[in-house]
Amino acid sequence: MAVQRNSVELQSQPETALFGLEPSDEVSQSLGPVDQGRQAWTVLIAGVTFEAIFWGFPMAFGVFQNYYSTIPEFQKDNSKIPFVGTLAQSLYYLGAPFSAILTRRFPKYQRQQIWLGWPLCILGLLSASFTTSVNGLIGTQGLLYGLGFVLLSYPIVSMVNEWWIARKGMAFGLISASSGITGAFLPFIIEALLGRYGYKTTLRACAVAMTILTAPLIPLFKGRLPASESFAFARTNWSFLKRPLFWVYALSILGQGFGFFFPAVFLPSYAAALNIPSIKGALLLALMCIAQVLGQFTFGYLSDKTFSVNSLSIVCCVAAAVAAFVFWGLAKSITFLVVFSLLHGFFSFGFGTLRVAMGRAVSEDQATIFATYALFVFLQGVGNILVSPISAALIVGPPMHERFGVEKYSGVVILTGASSALAGLIIALWLGCRMLARAHSDRGPCRH
């Protein structure tokens, strides 16, 4: 499909089949240009804003967690407080395939799906401001917010997927990186509000701010393809599940996910174990978020060019593994931790934004790319829900400054580095397998 084409007969095979649509025999429709133009940029900018605000808030939950731990009425269930943030994030990851299926099944109502998820997020924060128990927080700031977020996200992903084709990696790189922008400064704002006004007023203020900043943007979301009664939205072609390359990427993403989330959770605690002031621990997370923005945009942009997604993935994984083993595990001062924060943010998050390019390597069909994206998000999220039980098993004993990972966090550091190394190794072994197959025969178990 030529990306410059401004209009098209929807009866033509390349345009409609590309998106998994079955046109009626009489429908002809003028479509906006892909990868350019006011409509494409409007949808992308609105999507970046939504992602920055709604994904940035769960990323700042650590500040709420620290504050909730000091409230007397929450002390009885103090051990459950981390589950609030885990639930909100896990619903986004694990609910991705289901939200994507809903979006695919009812393409005519994508904007209505956003209207369904958006108030749930707002209601989750407002209702949390009235609760006086940890279970109440789990049901509101955790469950309601997470459910609303995953519902509103995939109609936006679908629309961006329609408007951006050749520059899809750049577009999704911006979407992914946007949460890093808010993650760099939002925790400091929330911490200041909590310290001055308490959690009830802070949650209400956040709900009002979200409403004001995002409500005017919802009418701007519009799919490129007309979703009318004349179109029957075709079933997803699941034949990509038979392709070995899909499973190579799936295993790689799953492996990386087991260690990906630990630095954001434990880096401030690690810094505290080295007697580094808490404000500097928070700054480490801010630096990681800034590096995340740069990394996700960079690798998203590069994936649109002639760079191999396999090579980019291996570079990300190797660099992230070295950063964990050297600059985190051997850190005895703030300097090494700063270097680690920058490298982990740039390369580990950069690997995450390659999900789109991996989908394109599996199939050029846009509907398949949308499906693989949701499945890859799900697989990465498996690691998110395992952070608490795994860390409980790995973090033992008091800190010992002279030991690797200050002893107490050595298991977490090793798992973080090993998971990235494993992800890169899986893809490298696949490439090696294919090279050997090509050297000996065109037939073999390693065929793509």
Side-chain angles (χ1 to χ4, degrees):
M1 180 187 67
V3 299
Q4 302 289 336
R5 186 164 60 181
N6 294 332
S7 62
V8 65
E9 285 278 331
L10 289 184
Q11 295 160 313
S12 65
Q13 180 69 15
E15 181 76 18
T16 54
L18 187 62
F19 291 91
L21 293 170
E22 297 174 0
S24 66
D25 293 334
E26 300 179 356
V27 176
S28 177
Q29 181 72 37
S30 177
L31 301 178
V34 296
D35 298 309
Q36 60 181 315
R38 181 182 60 84
Q39 288 179 306
W41 280 105
T42 296
V43 170
L44 180 58
I45 292 172
V48 166
T49 304
F50 258 67
E51 183 80 3
I53 294 173
F54 285 97
W55 194 217
F57 192 82
M59 289 183 67
F61 179 75
V63 179
F64 279 101
Q65 179 175 319
N66 292 336
Y67 183 84
Y68 290 152
S69 299
T70 66
I71 298 177
E73 53 261 45
F74 293 162
Q75 293 304 308
K76 182 177 66 174
D77 296 315
N78 190 60
S79 62
K80 296 181 180 179
I81 292 176
F83 186 63
V84 179
T86 300
L87 180 60
Q89 294 190 35
S90 296
L91 282 172
Y92 171 80
Y93 287 110
L94 302 186
F98 306 102
S99 181
I101 288 172
L102 185 63
T103 301
R104 289 272 297 160
R105 179 65 180 83
F106 303 103
K108 186 177 180 180
Y109 301 103
Q110 290 186 43
R111 190 183 295 169
Q112 286 81 352
Q113 188 175 333
I114 298 174
W115 278 115
L116 177 63
W118 178 79
L120 288 179
C121 290
I122 307 299
L123 181 61
L125 298 185
L126 282 177
S127 54
S129 72
F130 292 98
T131 189
T132 57
S133 69
V134 174
N135 288 333
L137 292 175
I138 292 173
T140 55
Q141 193 174 351
L143 179 61
L144 271 181
Y145 189 93
L147 182 60
F149 183 38
V150 72
L151 280 174
L152 68 84
S153 292
Y154 280 86
I156 296 174
V157 169
S158 177
M159 293 175 189
V160 173
N161 189 54
E162 290 180 8
W163 282 106
W164 296 87
I165 306 300
R167 302 171 70 187
K168 194 185 298 292
M170 180 275 296
F172 277 90
L174 286 174
I175 291 280
S176 300
S178 59
S179 61
I181 298 174
T182 47
F185 65 84
L186 187 60
F188 298 100
I189 296 176
I190 292 177
E191 186 170 15
L193 290 173
L194 287 171
R196 184 167 184 176
Y197 300 106
Y199 79 95
K200 294 185 178 182
T201 300
T202 298
L203 286 169
R204 292 165 194 169
C206 290
V208 171
M210 281 185 174
T211 303
I212 294 173
L213 292 173
T214 59
L217 299 178
I218 297 179
L220 301 179
F221 287 111
K222 181 181 179 182
R224 179 171 177 262
L225 300 176
S228 67
E229 295 298 334
S230 302
F231 283 79
F233 204 73
R235 292 178 179 272
T236 299
N237 182 359
W238 296 100
S239 61
F240 68 87
L241 293 175
K242 300 178 181 179
R243 302 197 65 182
L245 186 60
F246 168 78
W247 294 104
V248 169
Y249 291 144
L251 289 174
S252 180
I253 290 171
L254 179 65
Q256 193 246 12
F258 283 120
F260 170 75
F261 298 96
F262 286 110
V265 176
F266 293 106
L267 199 55
S269 301
Y270 191 101
L274 294 173
N275 299 318
I276 295 173
S278 60
I279 185 64
K280 291 185 178 180
L283 285 172
L284 289 173
L285 296 183
L287 288 174
M288 186 184 298
C289 289
I290 293 172
Q292 169 195 341
V293 174
L294 298 175
Q296 291 188 312
F297 175 77
T298 299
F299 284 100
Y301 176 82
L302 292 177
S303 69
D304 287 334
K305 305 302 179 181
T306 56
F307 295 93
S308 163
V309 63
N310 295 322
S311 300
L312 293 175
S313 299
I314 293 173
V315 167
C316 285
C317 293
V318 171
V322 171
F325 288 128
V326 176
F327 294 103
W328 193 12
L330 300 179
K332 300 296 184 288
S333 67
I334 188 68
T335 303
F336 263 43
L337 292 180
V338 166
V339 175
F340 169 72
S341 296
L342 294 173
L343 292 177
H344 181 78
F346 190 85
F347 289 105
S348 293
F349 284 89
F351 176 80
T353 204
L354 293 174
R355 289 188 293 255
V356 172
M358 291 176 179
R360 283 191 301 195
V362 173
S363 172
E364 287 292 338
D365 175 64
Q366 300 302 305
T368 298
I369 294 173
F370 181 67
T372 57
Y373 181 87
L375 291 173
F376 289 156
V377 169
F378 172 88
L379 290 170
Q380 188 181 36
V382 172
N384 179 266
I385 63 173
L386 295 176
V387 166
S388 293
I390 291 177
S391 61
L394 293 179
I395 298 177
V396 293
M400 301 177 66
H401 292 190
E402 69 278 5
R403 299 291 185 85
F404 180 86
V406 295
E407 186 63 30
K408 181 177 181 179
Y409 297 100
S410 60
V412 168
V413 173
I414 291 172
L415 180 57
T416 300
S419 64
S420 291
L422 175 63
L425 181 62
I426 290 172
I427 296 176
L429 288 175
W430 165 256
L431 291 178
C433 178
R434 292 195 63 200
M435 291 176 63
L436 288 175
R438 287 174 178 174
H440 292 86
S441 173
D442 289 334
R443 297 187 179 91
C446 298
R447 288 184 65 188
H448 180 157

